[in-house]
Amino acid sequence: KSGARESWRQAVQIYEALVAADPSDAFIRRDSAVGYRGLAAALAKNSDRAGARTNFGKAVTIFHELAAKDPSNALVSYQQSQTYLKFSTFLSDTGDVAGAIENAREAARIGEELVTASSNNNSAGSILALSYLQLGKCNALLASKVGTSPDKQTAFWSDARKLYQKSLNLWREMKREGTLSGIDADKLDEVTHEIANCDAALK
């Protein structure tokens, strides 16, 4: 754990020096954002929540700037979406469900744009399906929160189910087309299980 953290910290220091030397180089800035994201994930694993949040924030900011300057760059948009999604997962794991939803929505928005631009973009389809899955999980967390009124619980479970279904539809489409990656192979079962949980809660 600490080894990965120090490796990412050293990588970030190198990228920061390179960015300082040539702030206009978009490739170096993109690599630096990936570095901040990697460091954030490593800090999260080491229970450094403040450090993780700060570095996720830096990564999100850089990708937002790069995407604004070059909106047609699908690779930057994909990395931006992935960063929002990873930040969302971190936030939901640490109890900030509102922040998690905000970031997952951004991840989904970008994923939708990428899929619309290129329907056979498997990476975009995967990131969009994962974003819907994360949004479903966030709604399930809100539904399960102690003190939530029965009406709100029903609404949250219903929203969660709709989002899980959107995710499942995408995974099924990828499987049908033979484009479902090995990494995502278990997602069909995971989402089906989550939908069953929603159905049980809504009965």
Side-chain angles (χ1 to χ4, degrees):
K1 280 183 181 179
S2 59
R5 180 185 60 198
E6 290 316 308
S7 295
W8 279 114
R9 212 186 286 281
Q10 287 169 13
V12 162
Q13 286 174 346
I14 292 166
Y15 288 133
E16 283 176 344
L18 291 168
V19 169
D22 188 359
S24 64
D25 190 319
F27 293 106
I28 293 172
R29 282 181 61 73
R30 187 188 73 197
D31 287 347
S32 73
V34 172
Y36 286 127
R37 188 178 70 202
L39 178 57
L43 290 169
K45 282 180 181 172
N46 281 268
S47 302
D48 181 354
R49 291 184 179 183
R53 186 183 277 266
T54 297
N55 284 280
F56 270 126
K58 286 179 181 178
V60 162
T61 299
I62 293 168
F63 276 124
H64 180 74
E65 290 168 0
L66 290 173
K69 281 182 183 173
D70 190 2
S72 63
N73 190 322
L75 180 58
V76 166
S77 293
Y78 171 77
Q79 289 281 2
Q80 183 189 20
S81 182
Q82 194 178 46
T83 304
Y84 275 124
L85 182 59
K86 286 179 184 287
F87 195 12
S88 173
T89 303
F90 162 75
L91 291 171
S92 59
D93 286 348
T94 54
D96 182 0
V97 182
I101 288 173
E102 188 181 328
N103 280 275
R105 278 180 180 155
E106 281 299 299
R109 178 186 64 78
I110 297 162
E112 284 164 2
E113 287 176 359
L114 286 168
V115 169
T116 301
S118 176
S119 59
N120 60 352
N121 185 335
N122 300 333
S123 297
S126 176
I127 205 79
L128 181 55
L130 289 168
S131 300
Y132 288 147
L133 174 58
Q134 170 65 1
L135 281 167
K137 286 180 178 178
C138 288
N139 275 277
L141 283 171
L142 291 173
S144 307
K145 196 174 177 183
V146 176
T148 304
S149 71
D151 284 351
K152 281 190 175 177
Q153 278 186 336
T154 300
F156 285 136
W157 281 121
S158 180
D159 285 345
R161 196 196 189 290
K162 286 172 192 166
L163 289 156
Y164 287 140
Q165 189 63 54
K166 278 180 148 184
S167 180
L168 183 61
N169 291 346
L170 283 165
W171 297 124
R172 279 178 174 162
E173 193 177 326
M174 284 184 261
K175 187 178 183 181
R176 192 167 54 246
E177 292 174 356
T179 58
L180 184 66
S181 72
I183 298 169
D184 296 328
D186 63 336
K187 294 300 175 189
L188 279 159
D189 289 339
E190 181 184 344
V191 182
T192 302
H193 177 71
E194 295 294 358
I195 288 173
N197 287 343
C198 292
D199 288 339
L202 287 165
K203 275 183 182 173

